[in-house]
Amino acid sequence: MIGGLFIYNHKGEVLISRVYRDDIGRNAVDAFRVNVIHARQQVRSPVTNIARTSFFHVKRSNIWLAAVTKQNVNAAMVFEFLYKMCDVMTAYFGKISEENIKNNFVLIYELLDEILDFGYPQNSETGALKTFITQQGIKGQHQTKEEQSQITSQVTGQIGWRREGIKYRRNELFLDVLESVNLLMSPQGQVLSAHVSGRVVMKSYLSGMPECKFGMNDKIVIDKQGKGGTTEDTGKSDLGGGSSGKQSIAIDDCTFHQCVRLSKFDSERSISFIPPDGEYELMRYRTTKDIILPFRVIPLVREVGRTKLEVKVVIKSNFKPSLLAQKIEVRIPTPLNTSGVQVICMKGKAKYKASENAIVWKIKRMAGMKESQISAEIELLPTNDKKKWARPPISMNFEVPFAPSGLKVRYLKVFESKLNYSDHDVIKWVRYIGRSGIYETRC
Amino acid sequence: MPAVSKGDGMRGLAVFISDIRNCKSKEAEIKRINKELANIRSKFKGDKALDGYSKKKYVCKLLFIFLLGHDIDFGHMEAVNLLSSNKYTEKQIGYLFISVLVNSNSELIRLINNAIKNDLSSRNPTFMCLALHCIANVGSREMAEAFASEIPRILVAGDTMDSVKQSAALCLLRLYKTSPDLVLMGEWTSRVVHLLNDQHMGVVTAAISLITCLSQKNPDEFKTCVSLAVSRLSRIVSSASTDLQDYTYYFVPAPWLSCKLLRLLQCYPPPEDGAVKGRLVECLETILNKAQEPPKSKKVQHSNAKNAILFEAISLIIHYDSEPNLLVRACNQLGQFLQHRETNLRYLALESMCTLASSEFSHEAVKTHIETVINALKTERDVSVRQRAADLLYAMCDRSNAKQIVAEMLSYLETADYSIREEMVLKVAILAEKYAVDYSWYVDTILNLIRIAGDYVSEEVWYRVIQIVINRDDVQGYAAKTVFEALQAPACHENMVKVGGYILGEFGNLIAGDPRSSPLVQFNLLHSKFHLCSVPTRALLLSAYIKFINLFPETKATIQEVLRCDSQIRNSDVELQQRAVEYLKLSSIASTDVLATVLEEMPPFPERESSILAKLKKKKGPGTVSVTDLEDSKREGGELNGGGERGPDTAAMASSNASTPSPSADLLGIRSAAPVGAAPASAGSLLVDVFSEAGPAAPSAAVNDDGFLRDLEQPTATCDSLLVEGSGDSDSAPPSEDPAPPLPEADELLNKFVCKNNGVLFENQLLQIGIKSEYRQNLGRMYLFYGNKTSVQFASFTTTVSYPGELQSQLNVQTKPVEPLVEGGAQIQQVLNIECLTDFSDAPLLNIKFRYGGALQNLTLKLPVTINKFFQPTEMTSHDFFQRWKQLSQPQQEAQKIFKANHGMDTEVLKAKLLGLGSALLDDVDPNPENYVCAGVIQTKGQQVGCLLRLEPNSQAQMYRLTLRCSKDSVSKRLCELLAEQF
């Protein structure tokens, strides 16, 4: 189990230090600083073993969060906890920065006391935490005994993530499908590897204790229904607007928020749950088949003698013309001995960034089924180094308003038997956002 | 040196460096550097030429980036351009960049060399120095090739500035160190030596470093430097502290130069010229005197400088090792430092004392400090100083203080640092053995050692104690008793169990009389440790058990029970299982006589160099053979060869039959004697074969059954050493005119077998040759066992016997052919029938050829067939003896030799050897009971030669007089030669 948790700033100074077990001493704090933060080498493994002590760390901007243990713990659990911890902190005071941590250190210690107990992770649901760890003074809190006992029963009860007696005038529900698409493509346009990792994020403002049911075009479910011949839901399925005519998708693996009843998913493959209040991540998934690649990059690099390089890059958007991609950025690496660059592009803005050894080409918006082109002349300084330039891949960033995996939300039904509102009274919003992950093309 | 003026300050560089320092993260730093690199690249690429200042600035930035750990692959050209600038700062930066970043890019090197050449030939001393520094800093082979001939010229040129000479000397030194083959000696060498007389002290200091290095390689060419160095030294030493002005360091005149001069002198033997030597001794005395003077300053620099000279002077005194007076003074001076509060001084004093202890002149003087050193060992805080103290104790140890030192080291061992424990243990073991007057003390010490630091006691140490106990009858009982007591401790170290198991197995009978240590008690004690031990120890204990069965038949049932139990007889370890099964069978099938023969007490071990000493040397490693070791071997040699108290051991081991009642050489002679338990046919082994030929064997002859025991004994050192029989004889044997005897030690090997018939004739990494032989009248039979020690097959294995000289007519040897293939690890046997036709003096040669992994191995040995093998003992009375003695009174019939004892003069050993010779040893014949008298008849085919022998030892002078009278003069001569080597 986690023996201690430390938060460092970029210099390696300790901002927060919370030790849960006796086997972690002060010297562990220094060991991490010396061996990881101030380490010479560039690549830092997220798990470091120093003198039989394991350090698990994540970095948020300039802040290092490190969990320390002497035991053989489940590393995935520790990282899940650290991510959760980041979420909780973000939910409480926004961006994780040195300034914010210093300003909120009392709160952070309070949180750490609550979400880790003797090194064992406890309830780290922001919604639940916010009911009893508040940022007001003790005077501002007007909690009666009753309320306090309610909190206790809720936190310790079966449905720890939702309290009773929530009431909204307007029952609303926001559903976001966020995907990031990763690609590695050969210069000839052959896909070497591609996958999409997606998340379904919900924001729910529902009264009472509603029972929800979520449906999507999962291949297994569709096939089963197709065979059974019951197509009761298909009529009102298309809540959002996708781009592909695909009927179903194959999901490689998925994980759910703790509110989802896994037994039901295992037996019927239906996703049913009592949602927490506010924002949460309902599920995560990954697909590798039939991915819609929103952009195609066609590079053309020509070496003219020893001192000149000509680069031409064409990008083609590959989705419905009615959709608009945003925040497009193409990054073309330049050799290390570049001494000057001239760029011509038809659309957007392009610039040579010496500090990053790359030409960065930015386009604000681009509709589907279009193409654009950039050409650059790179002057080189002859060096006595015989090493050939390794030609790193061209990478791309973008945002598109559909799910590249082809996932579609078919329905989301809400049932609340005690209170008087039905599925139809709930206002539902669905949004698809596809972003680029590591989207690279070799040149 | 011209300082960088304000206007030259490179603002851009300063800004860049401060930017880098302000970076918050590694990534930010890399970004900044990338940006700067791109900027410099575009500047260097730019078409318009850069001025010197900007070039210097950018090169500086590149250098800084490189020093931050980033690769720089351009800018070399610009740096080379800077070299041709006339501004000092620009040239300096250019050279700096080249020195740090040069790589063997051929075209650039040519440009650089050109620039350097220009600077060297310029008359500007600053530029010349810069160029020389660059050559020295780069120091590559290309540089050496280009400038190795140029620099000596600059160095000895009359008009060169002093500062340039200094740089040139050091630059040449650097080039000489990297590529000595390119720096050719020439006429400049003699002129370099004369730099020692230079007016400028800096030049002298630089030159002396060069001369010291050069003279180590070519001592003869620089011989003249000795007198120059001495005169220079005496001028410095005798100067007042104010004379040398700039070169006086905290009131000490030219300390660095003095140290270097003293070090240079250490490359040469003491000067032969009396005047020079007198002057040098005077200098050394002055240095020693100065050390006594009260310090002129309290500053640590003052005492450091003074002591540096003093220690260097003491090293020189030790190096010369010829001035007793100086040595003793040095020792006393060091003695004062032993209690100095400076840790470094104490360390150095101890270290120097170690070397002093090896000198015969100062050994006694060193010994007076024993209390201080022991105190240092106990109270010193610094581990390295303690280590030195331990080294010194070891070095100063001799017979007079051995007990005290060993006791102190033992008591220190309990608290010693883990890092030095093993070495300490070895040292204690060696000292205890080397200076053991009383072997019970030795046994006590080693057992204590095992008790205190069992984990650090290496195998060699306990092998050694067992070897010594086995070779010394007088300590066996004591050892058994002590081990028995030591084993009673509830927790024993495993090494203790090993020693205990071995010794009780061998000599448990010596203490069995006491009811407190009755056989059963002994066995139970050993067995109580059995289950806590590792497999090798268990194996050893099993062997001890079977020996118990032999020693104490009453324990047989108990032990058989133990052997029979499943945990032994079905042990998962093959070795243990096999032992248990074999021992069980052996004890139940074999009769007591067979058992007694097989499990005979181990024969004494042959004397060799102490394996512990070898281990200590190995531990220190070849690179660090300290003077202590050298001194060790020196003294070791003295002790071993000169006799000393180890003499008796050696002798005892040389004739391995000393303690056994009937020597194996007598196998034939006592054939007629009462048969002692006829050889049992059940044990149809080789052993029996030999014995049945030889007739009813004596129950002893432990050496004979090594072939058999080899299978029984565990493969530890005991077994190994048994196989590697090698007596201490090392002197040369009778001259032989073999045409091509490839083995120089053949004679020595032959000598070993004069007094015995069985053993290992030869052994190397590949092959081991064992011998068993027996002789009857003029006939003999010899069994040769060729053992393949490797795991690879020997192919086309052939042996031939040849007769050098006229031996052909004197001796007839019939050999049976051997198998041409010897498998790895296998042993083959060859039988030789020998017939003595007439008396002979040479030994037949045995030539062995085989292919090992394709390579032809060819070796020739002497077969140990000597004339004395055909002796028949003759008993006679005193009267008869002297009558015959007088009959053989012709001068040519007598051969006499007076010689120094090689192996000590132990009575039993001598007797055993004489018996081993084959003749009868006659008691009560000579009026002087000290003398030995033997009589025998040598049987040849043609004739019989009567031999009478008289050996008169003189124990005061450690001399022998050996007289032989034979009816044939050649026989007496040959026998005399052979025997003189044996005592």
Side-chain angles (χ1 to χ4, degrees), chain B residues 293-499:
Chain B
E293 286 170 13
K296 292 200 181 84
S297 158
K298 282 218 169 77
K299 287 259 170 65
V300 66
Q301 289 96 328
H302 172 68
S303 56
N304 277 349
K306 219 165 86 170
N307 291 333
I309 299 176
L310 178 63
F311 275 107
E312 214 49 70
I314 289 175
S315 303
L316 183 63
I317 293 169
I318 295 169
H319 171 72
Y320 285 164
D321 198 12
S322 60
E323 302 285 333
N325 177 30
L326 285 177
L327 280 165
V328 171
R329 279 194 64 185
C331 183
N332 293 339
Q333 184 60 49
L334 290 176
Q336 289 178 9
F337 286 148
L338 285 183
Q339 280 159 317
H340 203 277
R341 58 191 167 73
E342 272 287 310
T343 314
N344 290 338
L345 266 188
R346 290 197 301 270
Y347 179 94
L348 289 169
L350 287 168
E351 200 181 28
S352 302
M353 274 236 190
C354 257
T355 43
L356 272 178
S358 61
S359 166
E360 52 178 319
F361 301 115
S362 53
H363 187 67
E364 287 304 316
V366 172
K367 270 166 68 183
T368 56
H369 299 291
I370 184 166
E371 292 303 330
T372 326
V373 179
I374 288 172
N375 210 27
L377 190 64
K378 281 179 186 158
T379 57
E380 188 58 60
R381 260 177 294 129
D382 190 314
V383 57
S384 59
V385 181
R386 286 199 296 271
Q387 162 109 51
R388 290 291 142 248
D391 283 351
L392 178 54
L393 272 187
Y394 177 71
M396 68 160 68
C397 189
D398 64 11
R399 204 166 311 157
S400 63
N401 54 14
K403 276 202 179 172
Q404 186 193 3
I405 286 179
V406 168
E408 289 296 345
M409 284 174 101
L410 263 182
S411 69
Y412 170 61
L413 200 52
E414 291 188 57
T415 55
D417 309 83
Y418 294 102
S419 52
I420 60 170
R421 277 200 181 178
E422 189 177 357
E423 204 186 317
M424 287 284 292
V425 165
L426 288 174
K427 283 182 168 162
V428 171
I430 290 168
L431 290 180
E433 185 193 331
K434 199 151 81 173
Y435 300 114
V437 187
D438 172 5
Y439 277 90
S440 56
W441 173 74
Y442 171 73
V443 171
D444 277 345
T445 306
I446 298 294
L447 290 184
N448 253 334
L449 198 62
I450 296 176
R451 191 176 53 74
I452 292 169
D455 284 336
Y456 299 92
V457 173
S458 52
E459 300 277 284
E460 285 86 354
V461 174
W462 77 263
Y463 290 170
R464 193 73 192 147
V465 72
I466 281 175
Q467 286 177 10
I468 287 189
V469 167
I470 288 193
N471 288 350
R472 304 276 320 176
D473 306 351
D474 47 343
V475 287
Q476 288 165 353
Y478 179 77
K481 190 159 149 281
T482 328
V483 210
F484 180 74
E485 279 160 10
L487 280 178
Q488 297 200 315
C492 291
H493 193 267
E494 193 163 333
N495 280 338
M496 184 68 95
V497 179
K498 286 181 185 166
V499 176

Side-chain angles (χ1 to χ4, degrees), chain B residues 662-673 687 690-691 693-701 704 757-758 772-776 915 918:
Chain B
S662 59
S664 51
D666 254 1
L667 283 178
L668 263 175
I670 58 162
R671 189 161 58 109
S672 49
L687 174 75
V690 176
F691 276 75
E693 283 275 322
S700 63
N704 294 10
N757 288 343
N758 306 319
K772 282 183 211 300
S773 54
E774 66 222 4
Y775 296 91
R776 196 184 315 174
L915 280 173

Side-chain angles (χ1 to χ4, degrees), chain A residues 10 42 336 338-339 355 384, chain B residues 24 26 34 41-42 73 76:
Chain A
H10 72 279
Q42 277 299 311
L336 291 175
T338 305
S339 62
S355 60
N384 43 18
Chain B
K24 290 215 165 174
K26 193 98 187 162
N34 280 338
R41 277 195 301 261
S42 66
D73 51 7
H76 299 78

Side-chain angles (χ1 to χ4, degrees), chain B residues 803-837:
Chain B
Y803 311 92
E806 53 190 350
L807 194 63
Q808 180 79 55
S809 58
Q810 294 163 340
L811 198 68
N812 185 10
V813 181
Q814 292 175 336
T815 52
K816 293 187 179 152
V818 285
E819 301 270 335
L821 288 183
V822 188
E823 294 297 333
Q827 196 183 52
I828 58 164
Q829 177 189 347
Q830 186 181 27
V831 185
L832 276 66
N833 287 319
I834 303 162
E835 188 185 13
C836 176
L837 303 172

Side-chain angles (χ1 to χ4, degrees), chain A residues 383-385 387, chain B residues 33 37 40-41 44 58-76 97 101 103:
Chain A
T383 64
N384 43 18
D385 212 359
K387 266 185 292 180
Chain B
I33 285 171
L37 282 176
I40 298 173
R41 277 195 301 261
F44 283 174
Y58 293 129
V59 168
C60 250
K61 281 183 182 175
L62 286 180
L63 192 57
F64 183 75
I65 293 170
F66 178 76
L67 293 179
L68 282 176
H70 300 267
D71 279 336
I72 296 295
D73 51 7
F74 65 99
H76 299 78
F97 187 88
L101 263 141
N103 50 17

Side-chain angles (χ1 to χ4, degrees), chain B residues 36-303:
Chain B
E36 193 62 42
L37 282 176
N39 176 35
I40 298 173
R41 277 195 301 261
S42 66
K43 283 284 183 334
F44 283 174
K45 176 79 183 179
D47 299 326
K48 63 175 194 301
L50 289 171
D51 59 347
Y53 166 77
S54 0
K55 231 183 246 175
K56 177 181 76 174
K57 187 175 75 185
Y58 293 129
V59 168
C60 250
K61 281 183 182 175
L62 286 180
L63 192 57
F64 183 75
I65 293 170
F66 178 76
L67 293 179
L68 282 176
H70 300 267
D71 279 336
I72 296 295
D73 51 7
F74 65 99
H76 299 78
M77 200 57 216
E78 282 72 17
V80 173
N81 287 345
L82 280 178
L83 294 185
S84 55
S85 161
N86 272 326
K87 273 198 185 146
Y88 170 77
T89 49
E90 288 167 18
K91 204 184 260 293
Q92 183 206 23
I93 296 293
Y95 273 123
L96 191 59
F97 187 88
I98 300 291
S99 309
V100 176
L101 263 141
V102 85
N103 50 17
S104 41
N105 182 320
S106 59
E107 55 189 305
L108 268 184
I109 280 285
R110 211 157 38 77
L111 286 172
I112 294 167
N113 284 353
N114 234 343
I116 291 177
K117 243 181 209 134
N118 285 340
D119 278 341
L120 283 183
S121 54
S122 79
R123 309 306 301 163
N124 185 334
T126 329
F127 291 174
M128 285 174 90
C129 280
L130 277 180
L132 286 168
H133 294 170
C134 180
I135 297 171
N137 278 333
V138 176
S140 65
R141 206 166 162 83
E142 292 83 11
M143 286 280 182
E145 272 165 8
F147 300 108
S149 54
E150 176 86 0
I151 295 168
R153 205 179 46 70
I154 296 173
L155 180 59
V156 298
D159 54 349
T160 313
M161 297 274 288
D162 286 337
S163 59
V164 178
K165 270 191 198 169
Q166 250 172 300
S167 299
L170 294 176
C171 179
L172 188 58
L173 174 63
R174 164 71 205 239
L175 291 187
Y176 183 73
K177 278 181 178 165
T178 48
S179 27
D181 51 318
L182 291 177
V183 180
L184 302 168
M185 298 297 135
E187 41 87 40
W188 58 274
T189 43
S190 59
R191 297 175 67 182
V192 165
V193 172
H194 285 281
L195 286 178
L196 286 178
N197 273 336
D198 201 283
Q199 292 293 315
H200 192 267
M201 293 291 263
V203 175
V204 184
T205 315
I208 198 160
S209 296
L210 175 65
I211 293 170
T212 308
C213 185
L214 290 172
S215 63
Q216 274 160 357
K217 286 270 167 63
N218 324 289
D220 290 334
E221 286 196 51
F222 290 88
K223 228 173 192 162
T224 46
C225 70
V226 173
S227 60
L228 289 176
V230 170
S231 67
R232 188 91 217 186
L233 182 67
S234 85
R235 261 182 284 158
I236 294 170
V237 167
S238 57
S239 67
S241 56
T242 50
D243 290 356
L244 294 166
Q245 286 169 358
D246 284 354
Y247 288 87
T248 300
Y249 177 80
Y250 288 87
F251 306 106
V252 184
W256 280 275
L257 183 53
S258 312
C259 284
K260 284 181 174 178
L261 284 166
L262 288 164
R263 209 168 285 167
L264 172 64
L265 289 173
Q266 282 174 50
C267 302
Y268 288 96
E272 282 138 22
D273 184 351
V276 175
K277 190 171 183 184
R279 212 163 162 201
L280 178 58
V281 169
E282 208 173 283
C283 282
L284 293 172
E285 268 169 357
T286 319
I287 293 171
L288 287 174
N289 286 340
K290 275 196 180 167
Q292 293 293 340
E293 286 170 13
K296 292 200 181 84
S297 158
K298 282 218 169 77
K299 287 259 170 65
V300 66
Q301 289 96 328
H302 172 68
S303 56

Side-chain angles (χ1 to χ4, degrees), chain B residues 558-824:
Chain B
T558 323
I559 292 173
Q560 280 184 337
E561 196 54 47
V562 169
L563 290 176
R564 198 175 290 129
C565 81
D566 277 358
S567 63
Q568 312 297 357
I569 212 155
R570 297 209 177 130
N571 196 300
S572 60
D573 187 89
V574 177
E575 178 69 29
L576 288 182
Q577 193 187 54
Q578 183 171 4
R579 277 180 195 233
V581 172
E582 285 181 3
Y583 291 164
L584 186 59
K585 278 288 167 218
L586 186 69
S587 64
S588 45
I589 291 174
S591 69
T592 44
D593 299 328
V594 175
L595 219 51
T597 317
V598 171
L599 303 170
E600 175 56 37
E601 198 175 282
M602 290 301 284
F605 288 93
E607 190 56 45
R608 280 172 295 164
E609 185 200 25
S610 167
S611 49
I612 312 176
L613 204 61
K615 164 116 182 186
L616 183 66
K617 282 178 192 159
K618 200 169 76 194
K619 196 170 156 49
K620 289 210 166 168
T624 60
V625 174
S626 69
V627 190
T628 346
D629 290 325
L630 296 177
E631 172 262 338
D632 251 330
S633 49
K634 218 196 289 178
R635 222 187 286 169
E636 189 77 359
E639 302 264 348
L640 269 181
N641 299 337
E645 68 269 311
R646 268 154 64 130
D649 287 343
T650 327
M653 287 152 212
S655 79
S656 49
N657 298 323
S659 55
T660 56
S662 59
S664 51
D666 254 1
L667 283 178
L668 263 175
I670 58 162
R671 189 161 58 109
S672 49
V676 191
S682 59
S685 74
L686 188 72
L687 174 75
V688 183
D689 195 24
V690 176
F691 276 75
S692 54
E693 283 275 322
S700 63
V703 186
N704 294 10
D705 51 24
D706 61 358
F708 188 64
L709 262 188
R710 187 183 310 144
D711 303 325
L712 288 180
E713 251 331 306
Q714 80 268 22
T716 55
T718 45
C719 164
D720 293 351
S721 38
L722 186 66
L723 293 176
V724 193
E725 295 268 310
S727 69
D729 310 26
S730 57
D731 300 297
S732 64
S736 72
E737 59 277 38
D738 302 322
L743 278 183
E745 69 268 29
D747 283 340
E748 195 184 318
L749 296 171
L750 174 70
N751 251 334
K752 222 167 63 174
F753 284 90
V754 170
C755 290
K756 62 177 185 175
N757 288 343
N758 306 319
V760 172
L761 175 64
F762 172 77
E763 182 161 21
N764 63 10
Q765 282 91 0
L766 307 176
L767 180 72
Q768 184 192 49
I769 305 174
I771 275 198
K772 282 183 211 300
S773 54
E774 66 222 4
Y775 296 91
R776 196 184 315 174
Q777 307 213 337
N778 67 328
L779 299 175
R781 177 174 292 182
M782 184 178 278
Y783 298 86
L784 289 172
F785 301 95
Y786 304 100
N788 180 350
K789 286 170 74 181
T790 66
S791 52
V792 184
Q793 187 184 67
F794 290 163
S796 42
F797 191 92
T798 53
T799 65
T800 44
V801 173
S802 60
Y803 311 92
E806 53 190 350
L807 194 63
Q808 180 79 55
S809 58
Q810 294 163 340
L811 198 68
N812 185 10
V813 181
Q814 292 175 336
T815 52
K816 293 187 179 152
V818 285
E819 301 270 335
L821 288 183
V822 188
E823 294 297 333

